[in-house]
Amino acid sequence: MKEIKQINDICDFLRQSQGIDVSTYEDSFLKKTLQNRISTSMCDSMEEYFTFLKQNSTEGNLLIASLQNNYSEFFRNALTFAVLERIVLPYIVKKKKKKEIRIWSAACAQGQEVYSFAMLLEELRGGDDEKFKYRIFATDKCDAQINKAKHGEYPSSALNNINFKRAEKWFTKRNDVFTIKSELKENIDFSIFDLLGKNSGSPSVSIFGDFDIVFCANLLFYFNSKNQKQIVNKISKSISDGGYLITGEAERQILLNLDFSEVFLQSGIFQKKGGTREKDGTRITQILK
Ligand SMILES: C[S@@+](CC[C@H](N)C(=O)[O-])C[C@H]1O[C@@H](n2cnc3c(N)ncnc32)[C@H](O)[C@@H]1O
């Protein structure tokens, strides 16, 4: 009880001093992060840490930075990308005919997820831009992340999941820096968007949402259930009928609890139960059988 009160006091303090509400984070994640900061700051207790936090203005920034995880990888969650590449994308391309395929990456970090997906789309086009059209709206709450994503520069260590053929085709190399080629950026719009903000349901550059695919991966598990629900509700409204929500493979249970059905067992690919069927009543899960 005492610890809960101390954590609440820390949340109130950060809300007032930094204007950031850290109570949105999932309880055990918040507690673990605080414990890490307590030991790094060489404090003996939560109480002592709270006093330290109030007296050291930089500690507030460090605590908030440790809560904002922006780790990402190219082709993170291999199964999800394999199902997207081999089943979902070819199906969407066929279904949409020549109509633009619309994708939203709602927490894109430094862009690895967006560029991975753009590589799959370009490979499916096989050099024929007329085969189908697509546009990816890449957003993140953090402007520093969006700037990094726009630049698309990565150290060689970030390319572990990229095979040689893709590295050759989509990157230019200078010393240890690999930069995404401009042709892969042509169909991507980058902008700032806070999924917990009081803004509209989708990035304003996308005008009306209506996405065939929305990525919201490796973000939900940091938030408490109220905020998970708020994010998923916001995103669901922007998904077209028959569209897909892609989450991290470690976050699948959150979507299963929120009335989404998994398109392919163990993948992070979901469709909304009811309301998102194709016009002829089929779902991709039926197509797979
Ligand atoms: C762990 S990264 C995940 C990146 C990528 N989706 C992936 O799966 O590798 C989480 C990202 O979510 C962003 N983020 C955190 N809170 C957000 C919010 N309220 N709205 C939008 N993005 C947010 C962070 O800035 C960070 O870049």
Side-chain angles (χ1 to χ4, degrees):
M1 280 306 268
K2 194 173 164 207
E3 192 180 63
I4 296 174
K5 158 108 181 51
Q6 285 165 340
I7 294 178
N8 287 341
D9 288 345
I10 289 176
C11 291
D12 288 343
F13 172 72
L14 289 175
R15 203 177 292 116
Q16 280 155 24
S17 60
Q18 309 264 348
I20 292 181
D21 184 5
V22 300
S23 69
T24 54
Y25 289 103
E26 196 269 328
D27 289 348
S28 59
F29 172 63
L30 181 57
K31 203 167 142 190
K32 202 166 144 222
T33 308
L34 279 167
Q35 273 155 0
N36 284 341
R37 289 307 315 158
I38 290 172
S39 67
T40 311
S41 321
M42 301 212 239
C43 295
D44 286 332
S45 64
M46 189 78 80
E47 201 171 352
E48 195 183 324
Y49 176 72
F50 189 26
T51 309
F52 175 73
L53 177 69
K54 286 190 279 192
Q55 289 165 355
N56 291 275
S57 54
T58 51
E59 180 54 29
N61 296 333
L62 291 172
L63 172 56
I64 286 164
S66 353
L67 286 162
Q68 291 169 342
N69 184 325
N70 45 40
Y71 177 79
S72 191
E73 276 175 32
F74 287 100
F75 296 97
R76 191 174 185 179
N77 294 154
L79 173 66
T80 305
F81 272 97
V83 177
L84 286 172
E85 178 179 15
R86 293 192 200 142
I87 300 167
V88 178
L89 268 181
Y91 171 71
I92 294 180
V93 168
K94 199 166 156 211
K95 179 183 94 171
K96 297 277 290 195
K97 300 194 173 86
K98 297 271 169 184
K99 270 171 68 191
E100 182 181 77
I101 300 171
R102 293 168 62 79
I103 300 121
W104 178 19
S105 166
C108 72
Q110 309 97 52
Q112 293 93 324
E113 172 180 282
V114 178
Y115 293 127
S116 304
F117 200 62
M119 286 178 211
L120 295 188
L121 285 157
E122 287 297 335
E123 286 164 12
L124 209 57
R125 292 217 285 195
D128 175 7
D129 291 3
E130 294 306 310
K131 192 168 173 186
F132 62 87
K133 305 238 172 287
Y134 73 91
R135 183 138 295 276
I136 305 179
F137 300 90
T139 65
D140 198 282
K141 172 185 155 171
C142 172
D143 55 351
Q145 295 300 309
I146 284 295
N147 279 333
K148 283 187 186 167
K150 263 189 207 163
H151 283 101
E153 293 176 350
Y154 307 92
S156 55
S157 57
L159 270 71
N160 285 345
N161 300 338
I162 301 272
N163 61 35
F164 182 73
K165 204 171 152 202
R166 282 180 177 150
E168 282 264 283
K169 186 157 176 58
W170 301 118
F171 295 83
T172 54
K173 180 179 183 295
R174 200 167 178 202
N175 301 323
D176 191 47
V177 180
F178 285 74
T179 306
I180 295 283
K181 289 188 183 166
S182 55
E183 57 257 43
L184 198 64
K185 297 179 179 174
E186 263 170 32
N187 295 309
I188 309 175
D189 287 292
F190 291 97
S191 60
I192 295 165
F193 187 87
D194 182 354
L195 288 162
L196 287 172
K198 294 193 187 354
N199 42 25
S200 66
S202 56
S204 56
V205 278
S206 80
I207 307 177
F208 50 85
D210 200 26
F211 299 110
D212 300 291
I213 295 183
V214 176
F215 283 86
C216 181
N218 300 300
L219 169 75
L220 291 173
F221 51 25
Y222 294 113
F223 291 110
N224 60 34
S225 57
K226 177 175 160 249
N227 288 281
Q228 288 172 351
K229 218 176 196 169
Q230 194 179 324
I231 291 175
V232 173
N233 278 343
K234 180 172 275 192
I235 282 175
S236 329
K237 291 185 192 133
S238 72
I239 303 177
S240 66
D241 272 0
Y244 304 91
L245 174 57
I246 320 293
T247 189
E249 285 168 18
E251 297 171 304
R252 295 172 38 251
Q253 195 55 47
I254 299 170
L255 271 294
L256 291 170
N257 292 344
L258 289 174
D259 220 22
F260 278 73
S261 55
E262 204 165 28
V263 163
F264 192 92
L265 208 61
Q266 302 298 327
S267 79
I269 308 172
F270 288 86
Q271 283 189 307
K272 217 162 135 186
K273 275 191 194 155
T276 60
R277 283 167 191 275
E278 305 301 330
K279 291 205 169 50
D280 66 1
T282 55
R283 283 177 186 284
I284 198 158
T285 26
Q286 289 170 280
I287 291 154
L288 289 169
K289 279 174 190 155

